[in-house]
């Protein structure tokens, strides 16, 4: 991968290269091979011996790399002379549930969930209508991904609403029910009505809801025993432990959760993926607690996108669509000092022509941070990382004129925030949406 594109990928996934072990590096190379060879479900990547020779690595490291991909649902190791690593399609239910688990531990405020629902649900309704009417290829490819994000939000929505009333649901399965029963011509109206009802309910919750300390969702059908053990350990870590502390021995943990050592190690691997624990070898070391990080969730979604064989250009288009309101929210929620900093970043990004994409990425990520929409930020990082991994054109410098509409829109919002009177958020959302959706269609890649 080109060094500039690698930097975009690392910044999007928040991947710390100095912490990458050989198994993770090999897992990435196997993923790259699956995409390059366009291997579908059931395709054989190779036996452990083949992979060991192909990547010039020991068989133990290759086996561990394959284990990482098995955990993410991208394949399974079939024994025997005709066996090897077989490509699979990750389960949307499992991935959505684990995304929700990460966001649950990180803590989600009602307004953050509502922001994400409006953006994801509106995009899902548009894509669903486009597919019904025989829309573009990008709409068909974006369908499974936007549905994945919506399922994650459904789980979080139900859990938050259960704080108001145990057993509370939002019309069964939320948005999916609206999409199934609404004719295409009424989709936008029905989704808006769904949001109004949901907003009224979420407004009854406190502004900051603490991270959930226990499993409250009854929908555990997508969770394996290892995932449930990982979830319980994660809650314990978040509640009682701090970074640098040690977990108990493997045998102690096996006894406590009444599971085999194999199941426990699968659970620990999940915690390592999410960044909650780190394994250090050597005397006096072992499993150490770390702060939660997003990298594991991004890797999980990347495996899902690889399994779907999603066109990277479709990922880029979807990225613009789900971020349609983010610039408006960023300027609205930023302090005067933060707006000045944003203006300086904007000037820096547009100084050189052609511009470096990494400069644009830093501007966009700062906008996302100011918008205080961590759910959309997570979804966006997954799409941006996938596009960076598998779209070689991102190595090219970008003429400033291709981003002129975005720059002009952000400047307009910043100027509007400087005028007397309250910031008109609805007006700002309309302006932001017009530009972002137009760029989604005309994306210069």
């Amino acid at each position: 991968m080109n060094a500039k594109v690698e930097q975009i990928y690392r910044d999007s996934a928040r991947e710390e290269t100095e912490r990458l072990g050989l198994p993770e590096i090999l897992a990435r190379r196997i993923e790259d091979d699956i995409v390059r060879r366009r291997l579908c479900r059931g395709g054989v990547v190779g036996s452990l011996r083949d992979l060991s020779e192909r990547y010039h690595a020991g068989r133990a490291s290759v086996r561990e790399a394959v284990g990482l991909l098995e955990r993410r649902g991208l394949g399974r190791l079939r024994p025997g002379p005709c066996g090897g690593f077989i490509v699979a399609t990750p389960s949307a239910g499992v991935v959505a549930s684990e995304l929700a688990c990460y966001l649950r531990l990180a803590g989600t405020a009602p307004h953050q969930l509502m922001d994400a629902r409006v953006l994801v649900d509106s995009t899902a309704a548009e894509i669903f209508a486009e597919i019904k009417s025989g829309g573009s290829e990008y709409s068909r490819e974006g369908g499974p991904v936007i549905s994945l994000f919506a399922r994650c939000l459904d789980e979080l929505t139900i859990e938050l609403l259960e704080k108001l009333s145990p057993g509370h649901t939002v019309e069964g399965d939320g948005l999916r029910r609206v999409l199934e029963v609404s004719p295409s011509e009424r989709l936008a109206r029905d989704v808006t009505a769904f949001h109004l009802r949901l907003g009224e309910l979420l407004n009854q919750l406190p502004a900051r809801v603490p991270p959930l300390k226990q499993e409250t969702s009854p929908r555990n059908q997508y969770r394996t025993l290892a995932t449930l053990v990982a979830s319980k350990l994660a809650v314990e870590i978040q509640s009682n432990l701090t970074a640098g502390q040690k977990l108990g021995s493997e045998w102690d943990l096996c006894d406590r959760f009444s599971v085999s050592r194999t199941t426990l190690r699968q659970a620990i691997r999940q915690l390592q993926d999410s960044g909650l624990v780190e394994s250090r070898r050597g005397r006096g070391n072992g499993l150490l607690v770390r702060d939660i990080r997003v990298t594991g969730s991004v890797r999980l979604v990347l495996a899902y996108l690889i399994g779907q064989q999603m066109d990277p250009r479709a990922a880029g288009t979807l990225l613009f669509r789900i971020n349609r309101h983010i610039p408006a929210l960023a300027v609205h929620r930023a302090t005067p000092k933060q707006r000045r900093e944003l203006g300086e970043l904007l000037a820096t990004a547009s100084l050189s022509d052609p511009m470096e994409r990494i400069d644009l990425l830093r501007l966009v990520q700062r906008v996302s941070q100011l918008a205080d929409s961590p759910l959309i930020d997570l979804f966006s990082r997954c799409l941006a990382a996938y596009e960076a991994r598998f779209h070689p054109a991102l190595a090219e410098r970008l003429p400033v004129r291709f981003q002129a509409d975005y720059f002009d829109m952000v400047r307009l919002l910043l100027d509007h925030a400087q005028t007397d009177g309250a910031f008109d958020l609805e007006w700002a959302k309309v302006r932001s949406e017009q530009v972002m959706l137009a760029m989604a269609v005309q994306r210069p890649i």
Side-chain angles (χ1 to χ4, degrees), residues 117-417:
R117 291 231 65 138
V118 168
L119 291 166
V120 169
D121 294 354
S122 300
T123 303
E126 292 167 357
I127 289 177
F128 191 82
E130 290 165 7
I131 292 173
K132 275 186 171 181
S133 61
S136 69
E137 178 184 348
Y138 289 169
S139 296
R140 291 191 294 275
E141 294 214 7
V145 185
I146 202 68
S147 295
L148 171 74
F149 296 159
R151 292 177 80 154
C152 169
L153 297 181
D154 272 352
E155 186 166 328
L156 291 172
T157 301
I158 291 171
E159 289 177 352
L160 275 181
L161 291 179
E162 283 178 342
K163 288 179 174 290
L164 285 173
S165 174
H168 204 312
T169 61
V170 184
E171 293 195 3
D173 287 326
L175 177 73
R176 287 195 299 281
R177 178 175 173 81
V178 176
L179 295 180
E180 288 167 2
V181 303
S182 297
S184 298
E185 63 275 9
R186 281 179 29 206
L187 264 178
R189 186 184 67 188
D190 289 348
V191 168
T192 300
F194 168 73
H195 289 154
L196 288 173
R197 292 193 297 275
L198 180 59
E200 291 171 356
L201 291 169
L202 291 179
N203 283 338
Q204 299 176 44
L205 291 167
R208 285 286 171 186
V209 179
L212 299 179
K213 298 302 182 184
Q214 59 183 355
E215 288 289 338
T216 58
S217 172
R219 309 194 317 171
N220 289 330
Q221 67 268 36
Y222 297 118
R223 296 176 184 166
T224 64
L225 180 57
T227 299
L228 291 172
V229 171
S231 180
K232 291 177 181 178
L233 273 171
V235 170
E236 180 179 324
I237 290 169
Q238 292 285 74
S239 303
N240 305 315
L241 302 177
T242 58
Q245 287 187 270
K246 295 180 182 178
L247 291 174
S249 70
E250 284 191 358
W251 295 116
D252 289 340
L253 294 173
C254 286
D255 287 342
R256 190 194 312 172
F257 295 106
S258 300
V259 295
S260 68
R261 201 172 183 186
T262 299
T263 299
L264 178 71
R265 286 182 172 177
Q266 290 172 349
I268 289 173
R269 187 177 291 130
Q270 293 184 36
L271 296 177
Q272 288 175 307
D273 271 1
S274 67
L276 271 178
V277 300
E278 176 183 358
S279 179
R280 292 186 182 175
R281 299 182 184 276
R283 189 174 181 179
N285 287 317
L287 286 171
L288 301 180
V289 174
R290 289 191 59 186
D291 293 325
I292 190 170
R293 56 178 177 160
V294 74
T295 309
S297 297
V298 174
R299 290 173 181 164
L300 194 64
V301 176
L302 284 181
Y304 179 79
L305 300 181
I306 291 169
Q308 293 290 328
Q309 296 191 338
M310 187 179 194
D311 188 326
R313 292 169 296 182
T317 297
L318 185 57
L319 178 63
F320 272 76
R321 296 178 77 162
I322 67 171
N323 278 273
R324 64 183 72 185
H325 294 161
I326 293 300
L329 293 172
V331 176
H332 173 61
R333 291 170 178 167
T335 64
K337 180 180 178 181
Q338 290 170 333
R339 288 170 184 159
R340 287 193 296 273
E341 292 172 352
L342 185 57
E344 292 169 3
L345 271 178
L346 184 61
T348 300
S350 56
L351 272 179
S352 59
D353 191 5
M355 65 184 296
E356 292 287 354
R357 290 180 187 263
I358 192 66
D359 293 332
L360 176 62
L361 177 67
R362 285 168 182 153
L363 170 65
V364 170
Q365 288 182 344
R366 181 56 175 160
V367 168
S368 181
Q369 183 183 29
L370 293 176
D372 188 27
S373 295
L375 293 86
I376 293 298
D377 182 70
L378 169 59
F379 299 157
S380 299
R381 285 180 180 277
C382 296
L383 294 168
Y386 182 78
E387 187 181 28
R389 278 275 296 275
F390 302 114
H391 203 302
L394 290 190
E396 302 169 6
R397 290 166 68 94
L398 187 66
V400 169
R401 69 178 185 276
F402 288 151
Q403 293 296 320
D405 289 345
Y406 180 81
F407 293 157
D408 290 344
M409 177 261 292
V410 176
R411 287 192 191 98
L412 178 65
L413 298 179
L414 288 171
D415 290 343
H416 179 64

Side-chain angles (χ1 to χ4, degrees), residues 103-116:
L103 292 166
R104 182 187 306 114
L105 292 169
T108 299
H111 79 273
Q112 294 168 339
L113 177 60
M114 198 65 229
D115 287 344

